[in-house]
Amino acid sequence: NRVTSIFDPFIATGNLIARVMAQACRHPGVDQVMAELFSYEGSELYTVEVPDATGMTFGDLLGCFESAIPVGLISHDDKVSVRPDPCTVIGRNDRIVAIAEDVHSVQFRARRRGDVPVLPVVESSPARRSEQGLMFGFNEFAPLVLSELDDYVPPGSEMVIIADPDLVGDLDERVPAHLVNLKVKAGRERLTPGVVHRMLDEVRPDYVVVLCYRGALTPNDADARTLMTFLEVGREIAALGLGANVVAEILDPEDVRLVPADWSHEFVVTEHLSSLYITQVSENRSLAPVFADLLDAEGTEIYCKPVDWYMGAEGRVSFASLTDAALARNEIAIGFRREREGTAMGRETIINPTK
């Protein structure tokens, strides 16, 4: 049963894609984090026994690795806990789930109190408000994306869908009926000149999702259509002065090269992401529940939050200090986003920086 749940292709390409898309549209950069954790480039997840950590609390352990970030524990009886309580005591034969470039980077070092400057705890809990979303395109994963979003968004949120009537059937029958927080308005309309501008101006969305017409078009044609829609959405968002985040589904990673470098981070390469996930869990089945927790609305989630929530009026601080500041909020800092050097290179996401 366990092997079936891991390798079921619907789980890998359906729920996985939907969960990543749902998180990425609301929190820019999350898809890049997951892509790096799934891949074998940069940092990924490892499970390692660290005998020197026995008897320590998980909170104290966070600062004991220069080039790795503990994010979870696997007990001696294989119980997986992602972002455990900081007061959890690490037992003998427990394994640490850590983000690192390789298993040899998970090197324990004793840490003395006072080694790292303490940052002030900044109070920041903005009130949640309803969200507006706009979706161009529709495929078999769209209902899953909507269901996942329904778990995340505040009550009263809305998603407006515009899909080509030549490529989709009756949308009313395909939109999930059990949604609680997310109201869906589905319409069929060709993207003739002016439609994208009009919809963006009417909806004023917080985020835009562009789905490919997988199944209705060839992969090449589906990607070409997605790219054209994505580029038009980007231009119109700039023209209208909107701050909407845009995330688009693409099938072939080579097609991402066809867009400007500063926009390439907005794509979720779904087929590639799925294959990376299957490879990871086939080599280490202990990671399957870890990934499931990270992509589940009821589990631990990955967020991109303003850095001034953690450092106040400080100028430049070490990542070790940010790690402690996040711990004070019962969170684990795993990286940061920043503008690339140069004006036209877009943003980059740095995972597992040295302390």
Side-chain angles (χ1 to χ4, degrees), residues 137-311:
F138 202 89
N139 57 37
E140 68 267 31
F141 294 145
L144 294 174
V145 173
L146 296 173
S147 294
E148 289 295 329
L149 278 172
D150 186 59
D151 288 335
Y152 290 105
V153 299
S157 298
E158 183 177 77
M159 175 68 77
V160 176
I161 301 174
I162 299 296
D164 192 323
D166 298 328
L167 300 175
V168 298
D170 186 354
L171 292 181
D172 290 334
E173 296 181 356
R174 302 175 66 182
V175 172
H178 60 277
L179 303 180
V180 176
N181 298 317
L182 185 67
K183 179 181 179 181
V184 177
K185 293 182 178 179
R188 301 194 306 161
E189 185 174 358
R190 297 179 184 87
L191 293 188
T192 54
V195 171
V196 169
H197 179 94
R198 171 170 55 82
M199 294 309 304
L200 287 170
D201 195 28
E202 289 180 3
V203 177
R204 295 276 162 169
D206 297 295
Y207 40 81
V208 179
V209 181
V210 182
L211 294 180
C212 69
Y213 287 101
R214 57 166 70 227
L217 296 171
T218 65
N220 286 341
D221 289 343
D223 276 357
R225 186 132 182 181
T226 297
L227 289 169
M228 288 191 298
T229 302
F230 173 81
L231 292 172
E232 185 176 2
V233 168
R235 287 193 300 268
E236 295 298 342
I237 282 178
L240 290 166
L242 301 178
N245 178 47
V246 185
V247 61
E249 176 194 12
I250 208 80
L251 300 177
D252 186 349
E254 294 297 318
D255 289 336
V256 177
R257 300 180 182 181
L258 301 176
V259 302
D262 53 335
W263 286 1
S264 61
H265 60 279
E266 309 287 1
F267 286 95
V268 176
V269 186
T270 53
E271 302 304 305
H272 183 56
L273 200 64
S274 299
S275 64
L276 290 175
Y277 167 79
I278 292 175
T279 303
Q280 283 280 359
V281 297
S282 67
E283 293 191 1
N284 188 347
R285 286 191 290 179
S286 298
L287 294 180
V290 177
F291 286 131
D293 189 282
L294 291 174
L295 291 169
D296 191 337
E298 297 181 358
T300 297
E301 302 171 28
I302 297 175
Y303 291 92
C304 293
K305 296 183 177 180
V307 71
D308 56 11
W309 288 12
Y310 302 87
M311 56 186 289

Side-chain angles (χ1 to χ4, degrees), residues 48 71 75 88 91 111 118 129 204 259 340:
V48 184
V71 294
S75 64
T88 300
R111 176 183 171 185
V118 178
R129 61 171 181 81
R204 295 276 162 169
V259 302
R340 296 181 188 270

Side-chain angles (χ1 to χ4, degrees), residues 112-128:
R112 295 172 300 175
R113 292 193 179 276
D115 284 351
V116 178
V118 178
L119 297 177
V121 177
V122 182
E123 296 295 332
S124 53
S125 53
R128 299 184 74 196

